[in-house]
Amino acid sequence: MKTAIQTLQYVAAAGFVLVALVATRQWVRTRHRRTAYLALATLLLGVVSVLGRINETTDYEHPLISDISLVGFLGSGYFFLMFRHGFVPLSFRVRLAALVALIGTSVAAVVVQLPSGPDPDYDTSESIVLTLIVALWSICVGEPIYRFWKESFGRPVVQRARLRALSVAYGTIIVILVAAISIQPEQGSIAELVIQIAAVGLIPLLLISVSPPGWLRRAWRHREEEDLRLTQDLLMFAPDRGVLAQRALQWAMRLTGASSGCVFGPHHELLACVGVAEDEIEDITEDLTDTAQPQMVHLDEPAGYAIAVPLRSEEGTGRLVVFSGPFVFLFGEDEVERLKMHATAIGVALDRVRLTEELRRLDKVKSEFISNAAHELRTPLTAIVGLSSAMAMRHEEMTKEALAGAFDVLDKQAQRMRRLINDLLDLSQIEQGRARLELQPVRLDSTLHHIVDALPPDDRDRLRVEVQNDVMVLADPGRLDQVVTNLLTNAFLYGGQNVILEANRDDGSVVLTVSDDGSGVPKDLQSRLFEPFVRGSDHSEAQGSGLGLAIVQGLIEAFGGSIRYEDRDPRGASFVVELKGAG
Amino acid sequence: MKATILVVEDEPGIVFTVRFVLESAGYSVLDADNGDDALALVEQNDPDAVLLDIRIPGTDGWGVLEHLRETGRLESTPVVMLSAHATPSTAERALDEGASAYITKPFDAEELRSTLDRVVAGSN
C-alpha cells in the first residue's frame, strides 16, 4: 500500500513537471508574459513536488530543501494569480498586496523553520505560519476558479469553453495539491490510495485545460457550427458587401473564439472591422504580407495571434483576419483550416453580392441618364414652347425685328434639340453595339489633314499639326472623322489659344493626341469626364449636348482602342487616343 | 411706370424667351446668369418680382431664396421659382420656403405672363 501511494505521488510530481513543460513550450511559441507566468507557476509546482519526493526519500535531512519548497510553493501561488491577471486584470494595489503578503509569509516560514518529517508537531507560531501559507496560496489559486467561471457567462461558445477550462484547471491544481499534502504514505489506507489515484487521474485534465488540443477545440466549436449552418443563407443573401463582411467576420470570430478581426476587399479596402480601431489596423496587419496563402503570425501583445486567410472572389483576392484576444490566446492549424473553409463560402457570397450591387448601380446610372436627358431636352423645349406660344398670340403687334430675333432663337433651339436627340440615339446604339461600323485600315495622316483643311481659318491658325506620314489605323473612316472633329471642337471651345494635334506610331498601335494650353479639366471632373451629361460649370455659351465625349469614347472602344485624359505640362488639357495600327 | 422683373437663369435661350414674352406684356426685364449677381441686382434695382431658376451657377436658386427671406426682401419682392424638376415636392418646398409661385419648364407664354401679373399685383 505504502509503495503504491508513493509511486503515485512520484507520478503526480512527474505530471506537474510535464504540465510545466507544456506551458513552457507554449511560452516559447507565444512569448507572452501571461504564458510565462503559467510556465513559471507550473514549473515551481513541479519543482516543489520533486523536492517533496527527495525530502521524503532522504528522511527529511535537509531543512534547506523544505525552505526552497515553501518559497517555491508560495511563488507558484503568486504566478498563478498573475496568470489570471493576464485574462481579467487585477488592480495594482491588489497585486502589490499579494506580493507583500507572499514575501512576508515566505520570510516568516524560513525564520520559524517549520518542522518536517512524518507527523510533525507544530507550536503556536508554527501553526500560524502554516495556516497563513495555506490560506494565502488557496486565495491566489482559488479566487481565479470563481473569476474565470463568472467571466465565462455571456461570452460566445468558444471563449466560454476556454474560460471554464481554465477554471477547471485551477480547481484541479488545488485538488491534486490537497491530496499531496494530506496523504502520509507511512500510514497508507485504502481511502488515501483512492484519493491519490483520483489526484493523478486529474493531471491529464489539467494538461488539456491549460493547453486545449485540436479535438477539444473542435468540440467546443460544434454548437457554433450548427448555428452557422442554419444561418448560412443570411450570409449568402446579404444586401451589400459591407453587411456580408460584417456577418462573415462575426462568424469567423465565434468559430475561433477570437476577440477582434477585420475584412479587406480585393483592393485592400476595409469592409468590416470588429474590436480594432480603424487607425490601428495598418500597424497590426503589416506583418501579414502574403495575401494569397493562409497565414498565422504571432503579434505583439495585446493582439497575440492573428490568422489571415485569402477571400477569393472574381473581383480579386481580399482577406479575412482574426486576432486572438485575452480569452483565447492560442490558435492552431485547426483554426486556420476552419477559417479557410469559411473564407471559401464567403468568396462565393461576395461574388453574388457584387453582381447585385452592379445591377443596382447600372439601374441607377440608367435612371440618372433618363432624368438628365429629360432635363437637357426641357431647356430648348422651354424656349420653343414659350416663344411659339407668344408668337401665336401676339405676332400681329410685334415688330419685324422682334419676330426675326424670335425666329432665330427658335431655329437655334430646335437645332439644339435635334442634335441632342441624334446624340442620344447615337450613344444608345454604340452602347448596345448596334452602331453599324465598318472597321478597315484607314490612313490616319491624310484623314487628319482633310479634317484640318475643312476647319474655319480662325481655328486653323490656332492649330499646330505634328503627324507622322503613312500611319495606318483600324477604324470606321466616317466615325474616325467624327471622333477627331469632336476632340478638336472641344479644344477650340474650352481649351487655350494654342491647340496641338499629334499622331505617332507606338509599337503595334498609334497614339493620337489633342492638347491645348488652356486651364485644363478641373480635378473633380476628370474621373467623370467621359460620362454622359458631365460638363464643366461654364458650359452655357456652348451648345453641346453633353454627350460628345461619351460618344467619342464609345466609338474608340468599338475600334478596339482607348481614350484617356491627362493634364498637360505645364498647363492645359490633353486627350490621348490609342488606336490599333493596321498594315 | 413699367414693373421690373429680374430673371435669374443661365440658359441664354430661356432668358431670351422670358424677355420676349414679358417685354411684349409690358414689363421691363433685367437678367442675371448666377445667384450672386442676382442678389446684387435685387439690392441695386429693387425689381417688382424675381423669376428664379433653381439650377444656376454659384449660389443656387434655393440659396438666393433663403437670402432674400432672411434679409426681409421677400416682403416687397416676391419670387417665382422656375425649374425643370417637375416633382410636386419641389413645388411644395418652393412655396414652403417663401416663394409666391412655381413654374415648371417648359411653360407657355400665357402661363408665365399670368403668373407674374398675379404676383406683381399681389405685392402692390
Side-chain angles (χ1 to χ4, degrees):
Chain A
M1 187 71 74
K2 182 184 162 191
T3 330
I5 293 178
Q6 266 177 340
T7 314
L8 283 171
Q9 284 185 334
Y10 278 113
V11 173
F16 272 121
V17 174
L18 182 63
V19 174
L21 288 178
V22 168
T24 309
R25 181 169 149 267
Q26 229 176 60
W27 174 72
V28 169
R29 280 173 65 191
T30 64
R31 297 276 162 180
H32 281 178
R33 193 177 296 168
R34 193 170 51 213
T35 343
Y37 287 136
L38 178 67
L40 279 171
T42 47
L43 207 61
L44 283 176
L45 269 191
V47 169
V48 170
S49 320
V50 171
L51 286 180
R53 295 310 110 209
I54 293 173
N55 224 352
E56 196 185 290
T57 43
T58 54
D59 282 331
Y60 309 98
E61 277 173 7
H62 306 284
L64 189 60
I65 290 183
S66 303
D67 289 345
I68 294 173
S69 295
L70 266 174
V71 173
F73 180 67
L74 288 169
S76 78
Y78 177 70
F79 289 126
F80 274 125
L81 193 70
M82 290 305 286
F83 178 60
R84 165 235 188 275
H85 163 70
F87 290 85
V88 189
L90 288 164
S91 73
F92 176 72
R93 274 162 62 185
V94 171
R95 279 178 285 147
L96 187 67
L99 190 62
V100 168
L102 286 164
I103 290 176
T105 313
S106 304
V107 171
V110 172
V111 170
V112 170
Q113 278 298 320
L114 290 176
S116 53
D119 265 337
D121 291 317
Y122 299 107
D123 62 28
T124 324
S125 60
E126 288 165 351
S127 297
I128 292 172
V129 170
L130 189 67
T131 315
L132 257 179
I133 292 171
V134 174
L136 267 178
W137 191 87
S138 303
I139 291 171
C140 287
V141 183
E143 191 270 352
I145 300 177
Y146 162 77
R147 176 61 56 182
F148 284 139
W149 201 268
K150 187 166 164 271
E151 281 293 323
S152 75
F153 288 100
R155 292 195 178 276
V157 174
V158 177
Q159 291 191 4
R160 186 164 66 214
R162 184 75 183 89
L163 282 169
R164 290 188 178 173
L166 284 171
S167 184
V168 168
Y170 273 66
T172 319
I173 290 165
I174 289 192
V175 171
I176 297 173
L177 272 160
V178 167
I181 291 168
S182 62
I183 294 168
Q184 299 298 333
E186 279 72 18
Q187 21 182 292
S189 66
I190 294 288
E192 287 177 327
L193 179 68
V194 171
I195 294 172
Q196 189 59 52
I197 290 173
V200 172
L202 283 176
I203 284 176
L205 184 59
L206 176 60
L207 210 57
I208 61 171
S209 37
V210 168
S211 174
W215 59 265
L216 183 62
R217 303 205 298 268
R218 265 195 299 282
W220 288 345
R221 222 162 45 216
H222 183 72
R223 255 187 50 209
E224 298 285 39
E225 299 276 11
E226 290 285 297
D227 288 353
L228 176 58
R229 252 194 296 282
L230 289 174
T231 51
Q232 193 84 36
D233 279 0
L234 266 179
L235 271 182
M236 293 303 284
F237 296 103
D240 59 57
R241 293 200 309 171
V243 173
L244 171 66
Q246 189 73 23
R247 288 178 186 166
L249 178 59
Q250 273 157 1
W251 274 111
M253 288 168 56
R254 281 175 67 169
L255 287 172
T256 53
S259 299
S260 49
C262 44
V263 179
F264 295 98
H267 313 294
H268 201 73
E269 73 276 26
L270 186 67
L271 293 179
C273 176
V274 172
V276 198
E278 292 198 15
D279 52 336
E280 289 172 11
I281 287 175
E282 219 34 58
D283 293 345
I284 295 176
T285 52
E286 69 184 10
D287 289 341
L288 304 165
T289 44
D290 188 359
T291 50
Q293 294 300 321
Q295 217 185 347
M296 183 165 71
V297 294
H298 165 236
L299 305 166
D300 295 335
E301 281 177 274
Y305 268 85
I307 300 180
V309 290
L311 268 183
R312 292 198 174 81
S313 65
E314 277 176 19
E315 211 186 340
T317 304
R319 59 182 166 172
L320 169 70
V321 187
V322 292
F323 302 106
S324 65
F327 301 112
V328 173
F329 56 96
L330 196 66
F331 291 140
E333 282 308 306
D334 197 61
E335 278 79 10
V336 177
E337 282 306 307
R338 184 62 193 86
L339 276 189
K340 230 169 88 185
M341 273 168 58
H342 185 55
T344 309
I346 304 309
V348 174
L350 270 175
D351 279 336
R352 207 201 134 273
V353 164
R354 195 179 55 86
L355 272 178
T356 325
E357 281 179 345
E358 181 61 14
L359 279 177
R360 215 177 294 143
R361 192 190 65 82
L362 282 178
D363 200 50
K364 197 167 156 252
V365 167
K366 207 102 230 170
S367 300
E368 268 170 19
F369 182 83
I370 291 172
S371 148
N372 277 327
H375 189 268
E376 292 292 324
L377 284 167
R378 236 180 251 270
T379 301
L381 187 65
T382 302
I384 293 169
V385 170
L387 288 175
S388 59
S389 61
M391 287 159 80
M393 278 195 320
R394 300 176 182 236
H395 62 98
E396 278 165 7
E397 9 174 322
M398 287 174 186
T399 63
K400 224 173 170 182
E401 288 74 31
L403 280 174
F407 274 122
D408 187 46
V409 171
L410 266 181
D411 183 53
K412 273 194 186 130
Q413 297 297 328
Q415 295 293 350
R416 179 175 169 187
M417 207 156 170
R418 195 183 62 175
R419 257 198 319 272
L420 181 59
I421 290 171
N422 282 343
D423 281 356
L424 279 170
L425 286 175
D426 213 15
L427 182 64
S428 132
Q429 289 197 328
I430 292 166
E431 281 189 343
Q432 292 175 49
R434 288 200 290 124
R436 261 176 252 115
L437 297 181
E438 289 176 24
L439 289 188
Q440 51 187 270
V442 182
R443 260 197 78 163
L444 183 64
D445 48 331
S446 49
T447 306
L448 294 183
H449 288 302
H450 280 304
I451 296 172
V452 172
D453 288 343
L455 288 174
D458 285 352
D459 284 349
R460 213 163 40 209
D461 292 344
R462 291 165 60 191
L463 182 67
R464 197 169 86 222
V465 183
E466 294 174 4
V467 178
Q468 282 183 339
N469 284 331
D470 297 323
V471 181
M472 300 295 285
V473 296
L474 191 69
D476 176 300
R479 296 297 207 164
L480 179 61
D481 210 295
Q482 184 183 348
V483 165
V484 176
T485 306
N486 193 303
L487 291 176
L488 283 175
T489 310
N490 280 349
F492 288 130
L493 268 178
Y494 309 109
Q497 181 55 35
N498 299 300
V499 178
I500 306 171
L501 173 65
E502 295 163 279
N504 295 295
R505 272 182 290 266
D506 182 25
D507 276 334
S509 56
V510 173
V511 179
L512 171 79
T513 312
V514 177
S515 41
D516 66 72
D517 57 354
S519 49
V521 174
K523 282 267 176 290
D524 59 322
L525 214 60
Q526 288 182 10
S527 63
R528 300 180 297 131
L529 196 53
F530 296 98
E531 288 174 23
F533 304 118
V534 170
R535 279 185 290 210
S537 49
D538 59 340
H539 69 281
S540 58
E541 289 299 310
Q543 297 290 300
S545 64
L547 297 174
L549 282 177
I551 292 174
V552 162
Q553 187 185 40
L555 285 172
I556 291 170
E557 284 173 358
F559 298 164
S562 65
I563 181 167
R564 62 178 188 276
Y565 171 81
E566 284 174 6
D567 279 328
R568 189 166 164 270
D569 193 38
R571 67 193 302 269
S574 185
F575 287 85
V576 183
V577 180
E578 267 188 58
L579 293 168
K580 278 186 180 169
Chain B
M1 168 83 190
K2 280 183 179 179
T4 306
I5 311 291
L6 170 63
V7 182
V8 191
E9 165 68 65
D10 66 329
E11 284 285 346
I14 295 181
V15 173
F16 180 92
T17 305
V18 169
R19 190 181 273 281
F20 187 87
V21 171
L22 293 183
E23 280 178 354
S24 72
Y27 287 101
S28 158
V29 176
L30 293 167
D31 66 77
D33 64 3
N34 67 72
D36 304 300
D37 286 359
L39 287 171
L41 279 176
V42 169
E43 287 306 316
Q44 277 168 30
N45 298 338
D46 190 23
D48 295 274
V50 179
L51 185 65
L52 180 59
D53 189 24
I54 293 175
R55 221 199 251 197
I56 45 171
T59 309
D60 72 356
W62 298 120
V64 173
L65 183 60
E66 188 186 347
H67 192 271
L68 292 178
R69 191 180 64 237
E70 282 176 358
T71 51
R73 264 278 169 194
L74 269 188
E75 315 263 324
S76 57
T77 315
V79 168
V80 176
M81 291 299 266
L82 181 61
S83 169
H85 297 281
T87 60
S89 65
T90 320
E92 220 168 89
R93 177 175 168 196
L95 299 180
D96 277 354
E97 295 194 8
S100 302
Y102 178 88
I103 297 179
T104 308
K105 294 178 192 174
F107 48 83
D108 66 24
E110 185 51 33
E111 189 185 350
L112 178 64
R113 197 183 54 76
S114 64
T115 306
L116 279 166
D117 284 351
R118 182 166 52 78
V119 165
V120 170
S123 75
N124 290 336

